[in-house]
Amino acid sequence: MNLAEMKARLAELHEQSKALQATAVAEKRDMTGDETAKLDNVLAEFDALHADILRAQRIEAQAATLTEPGDRPTAPTQPSAGPVGNPQDPPPRQRQSDGLQNTRLPSNAEKQRWGWHNLGDFARAVHAAALKRDVDPRLNAAALSTYGSEGVGADGGFAVPPEWRSQVMQLVAGEDSLISRTDQQSTMSNSVTVPVDESTDWASSGGIRAYWGKEAAAISQSKPALQPVTSRLNKLSCLVPVTDEMLEDAAFMSTYITGKAGNSIKFKVNDAIVNGDGAGMPLGLVNAPCKVTVSKESSQLADTVIARNVLKMYSRMPAANRARAVWIMNQDIEPELMQLNITFKDAAGTAGIAAGQATYVPPGGMAGSPYASLMGRPIIATEAAQTLGDEGDIIFADLNAYLTIVKGSGIKSDVSMHLWFDQDTTAFKFTLRMDGRPWLSAPITRKNGSNTLSTVVTLQAR
């Protein structure tokens, strides 16, 4: 790698380390052993690459020194009357190319901003460069390297510094984001193949099995039942137009662009995790082949959710997954939840008695919990869920059993003012590459009982 590529890779490694840490922070937990090992590897590569950059800068400084013009004699023509450093001697020329001033990398915050004060400051410089005004030298670090004319904004635009890309990614993986609850893996390739073992502990054949045996008898053998699953990353892009008038307000620019882009990408990711069809996007929960759909009650009114729906959905979630499962629903369902009651029967089993049951707890009901809960599990209200009465209006799912693969470099972003040049508007583009699907490929067959189980449970349309 050349020096520019090494610096770009250094920024990618930093974003990877921040993403690993952000996942644990967003889920309010300590990092797992695997996450810690990945972070240690990233940090080790960062340190090694940092050392390589310093050496490359020293070599470049040597070359610059050798090509310096001979504008001063190599030895004085007359002996100096004064000591070394006499004020009468000509001042020594500062040599930034000797490698001494360039060996110190800037601070972490400076590296992620590439020398810019804020996003508005950067955007105004891009706009001025595109109008053939003064080109800020800091833009050299932001020129895209995948186009024929690297330093010309008209050809390829300029890459947005990593700090603001990270801010967008933090919004995407925020507290109300579904992706932050999934089994998220990162990769630097465009596709990933992972082995999957879907055998159950109680299956009579297939997968690793345990057997009872007599003393001195041969032990029955078994082997893993692994199936490869390949995920190819899909591209999600967000194009944000910003007028020249908005460029004048740098503080507003930073808030508007990062907030708007982050929220837009977050919704599209949430919507794909819930409703994606797997064609050029992740495979969503409601289209997953492992989904279990609970039937509505025979006498149930249209556009309602009753207690028996909730109880049956809860019973179809594997017991081992319930502690991580969440309810994903449209907020149109909330009035139904507040009226939930369970009907008890008398000793004869005929008469019905309506009684309130604490299956639903509103936000703040459990020591200030930020989420409402149903059957003790959090409720996440999202516009990705269908309206009341349609399948997908309420979903009970263990998102930790949903695999998401995200490009290790995180969100890629760049800016150009030529797309809408005639409208005095600058375009910011943010791109996220990812894929996702439930780990299961089919519902789980029970050992005892006819109802299947799944980590994705929906309610039939009513």
Side-chain angles (χ1 to χ4, degrees):
M1 291 188 292
N2 58 33
L3 186 57
E5 291 172 338
M6 286 192 291
K7 289 182 177 179
R9 177 57 180 162
L10 200 69
E12 290 180 359
L13 291 171
H14 176 65
E15 290 188 26
Q16 287 183 45
S17 61
K18 290 182 64 178
L20 287 169
Q21 186 182 49
T23 299
V25 172
E27 297 177 4
K28 299 179 180 178
R29 59 171 175 80
D30 295 333
M31 298 182 69
T32 64
D34 289 342
E35 289 172 334
T36 302
K38 290 180 182 178
L39 181 58
D40 289 341
N41 290 336
V42 172
L43 294 175
E45 184 179 353
F46 184 98
D47 292 340
L49 190 58
H50 182 188
D52 291 341
I53 290 175
L54 295 181
R55 285 189 287 269
Q57 287 176 332
R58 295 295 297 272
I59 294 173
E60 286 193 353
Q62 289 176 347
T65 300
L66 293 174
T67 57
E68 286 182 348
D71 56 352
R72 61 179 177 177
T74 57
T77 56
Q78 296 180 357
S80 173
V84 176
N86 191 306
Q88 295 179 352
D89 291 337
R93 193 171 74 182
Q94 292 184 350
R95 296 167 54 193
Q96 295 184 359
S97 59
D98 62 1
L100 297 179
Q101 291 188 340
N102 292 331
T103 54
R104 187 191 67 84
L105 286 180
S107 67
N108 185 60
E110 292 171 338
K111 287 192 299 182
Q112 300 308 301
R113 291 196 302 267
W114 292 344
W116 303 99
H117 299 295
N118 51 55
L119 188 56
D121 181 29
F122 169 73
R124 285 199 298 265
V126 171
H127 185 259
L131 293 178
K132 309 301 182 184
R133 298 173 184 167
D134 293 336
V135 178
D136 194 302
R138 291 172 294 179
L139 287 176
N140 292 331
L144 296 182
S145 59
T146 56
Y147 292 85
S149 301
E150 294 184 355
V152 181
D155 292 333
F158 295 91
V160 176
E163 178 171 312
W164 297 297
R165 300 181 228 167
S166 300
Q167 290 175 6
V168 174
M169 191 63 193
Q170 288 170 5
L171 287 176
V172 173
E175 187 173 357
D176 56 346
S177 168
L178 298 183
I179 192 174
S180 63
R181 296 175 177 269
T182 63
D183 183 5
Q184 186 173 337
Q185 306 293 327
S186 62
T187 179
M188 296 305 297
S189 63
N190 294 325
S191 64
V192 176
T193 300
V194 292
V196 179
D197 183 355
E198 296 189 41
S199 59
T200 58
D201 298 336
W202 51 85
S204 58
S205 62
I208 298 177
R209 305 266 71 85
Y211 300 93
W212 295 105
K214 296 181 179 180
E215 183 178 1
I219 300 175
S220 300
Q221 300 179 16
S222 62
K223 62 180 180 180
L226 298 175
Q227 297 294 330
V229 175
T230 300
S231 292
R232 298 187 181 278
L233 301 189
N234 304 294
K235 182 171 69 173
L236 174 64
S237 299
C238 177
L239 196 61
V240 183
V242 180
T243 65
D244 291 353
E245 288 78 11
M246 294 170 63
L247 290 174
E248 299 300 324
D249 190 341
F252 173 78
M253 279 282 300
S254 300
T255 304
Y256 172 77
I257 294 178
T258 56
K260 194 68 174 179
N263 289 332
S264 179
I265 295 175
K266 176 172 62 181
F267 171 75
K268 296 299 289 188
V269 170
N270 283 354
D271 188 58
I273 291 175
V274 174
N275 303 303
D277 59 9
M281 65 173 63
L283 179 62
L285 301 174
V286 297
N287 294 313
C290 66
K291 177 191 68 176
V292 164
T293 301
V294 171
S295 301
K296 64 180 180 180
E297 298 301 304
S298 58
S299 59
Q300 185 171 348
L301 298 177
D303 297 335
T304 59
V305 175
I306 60 177
R308 288 188 64 81
N309 299 148
V310 174
L311 297 176
K312 288 184 176 181
M313 292 180 70
Y314 187 82
S315 70
R316 302 294 290 275
M317 174 67 61
N321 298 86
R322 289 176 181 171
R324 298 189 302 262
V326 296
W327 299 90
I328 302 170
M329 63 180 64
N330 191 300
Q331 63 188 60
D332 290 345
I333 294 180
E334 291 176 348
E336 298 291 306
L337 299 181
M338 296 177 184
Q339 302 177 68
L340 283 185
N341 63 79
I342 299 176
T343 301
F344 296 97
K345 295 182 178 180
D346 59 15
T350 55
I353 304 174
Q357 179 71 14
T359 56
Y360 173 75
V361 179
M366 295 187 299
S369 173
Y371 295 105
S373 67
L374 187 62
M375 299 294 293
R377 299 310 304 149
I379 294 175
I380 301 176
T382 172
E383 285 298 305
Q386 302 300 312
T387 189
L388 177 61
D390 295 341
E391 183 182 0
D393 59 346
I394 177 172
I395 304 170
F396 193 40
D398 177 10
L399 290 175
N400 196 58
Y402 185 96
L403 171 67
T404 53
I405 306 292
V406 180
K407 192 75 170 181
S409 56
I411 288 181
K412 176 185 176 183
S413 51
D414 48 78
V415 57
S416 177
M417 59 82 62
H418 291 274
L419 180 60
W420 293 300
F421 176 78
D422 59 333
Q423 302 176 42
D424 292 332
T425 301
T426 298
F428 284 79
K429 184 178 70 174
F430 299 87
T431 303
L432 174 67
R433 300 197 63 192
M434 65 164 292
D435 191 32
R437 64 184 63 241
W439 276 109
L440 291 177
S441 62
I444 299 172
T445 301
R446 307 271 308 279
K447 180 180 186 299
N448 298 309
S450 58
N451 286 333
T452 55
L453 306 177
S454 178
T455 55
V456 181
V457 185
T458 64
L459 179 61
Q460 182 185 18
R462 297 155 313 287

